[in-house]
Amino acid sequence: MKAKSAARSPTGYATFETTLGRCGALWSERGLRAVVLPERSERALLARLRERDPEAPAADPPPAIRAAIEAMTAQLDGRPTDLGTISLDRDGVPEFHQRGYAHARAIGPGSTLSYGALAERVTDASAPSEWLKNVPDPVVIFATATTR
């Protein structure tokens, strides 16, 4: 994990290497706030993280976030990992989206579910398109969870 400072902070971000490339994680004291998948450059990756929270400092992740990063890295390496135990900070996320995230996270490692079936669970047939547009945590929410 690459952090630009050694300070621990209740909020912060760090970048980390995966088989897909360098990713980023943004957190608060309540949990993981966002995951950014590889961008075309480190600069673009950092810009995406700063879009989510311009004030968050680069920092060493606290233990729970470090464990989340290790779990996401394993998942991206092709090792099914239960990401459902990662604490997420959903402050400001509409209830409708939270409901969709909860259903997607309940699918389980290595399992699949179609978007249509997921929509039925959320109760609105158009639900996936509404909350998939701006999924802030694609690795945590959808890693090997859904199929088209």
Side-chain angles (χ1 to χ4, degrees), residues 46-100:
L46 295 175
R48 288 279 313 272
L49 287 165
R50 288 189 190 111
E51 283 174 13
R52 296 299 307 267
D53 186 346
E55 303 298 318
D60 288 333
I65 300 301
R66 185 176 304 277
I69 289 170
E70 290 170 2
M72 290 183 291
T73 300
Q75 182 73 33
L76 293 171
D77 282 345
R79 293 175 278 147
T81 306
D82 184 2
L83 304 177
T85 60
I86 295 173
S87 294
L88 303 178
D89 179 351
R90 291 282 149 239
D91 189 39
V93 175
E95 175 59 34
F96 174 73
H97 292 158
Q98 289 188 38
R99 199 168 59 246

Side-chain angles (χ1 to χ4, degrees), residues 124-142:
D124 180 345
S126 66
S129 64
E130 288 299 314
W131 49 270
L132 286 173
K133 288 178 187 174
N134 296 302
V135 175
D137 311 307
V139 176
V140 178
I141 305 296
F142 295 107

Side-chain angles (χ1 to χ4, degrees), residues 1 3 5-13 27 57-67:
M1 278 165 262
S5 77
R8 289 208 185 238
S9 172
T11 64
Y13 73 86
W27 65 88
D60 288 333
I65 300 301
R66 185 176 304 277

Side-chain angles (χ1 to χ4, degrees), residues 99-108 118 131 140-142 145-146:
R99 199 168 59 246
Y101 296 150
H103 284 287
R105 290 186 84 198
I107 295 168
L118 186 57
W131 49 270
V140 178
I141 305 296
F142 295 107
T146 58

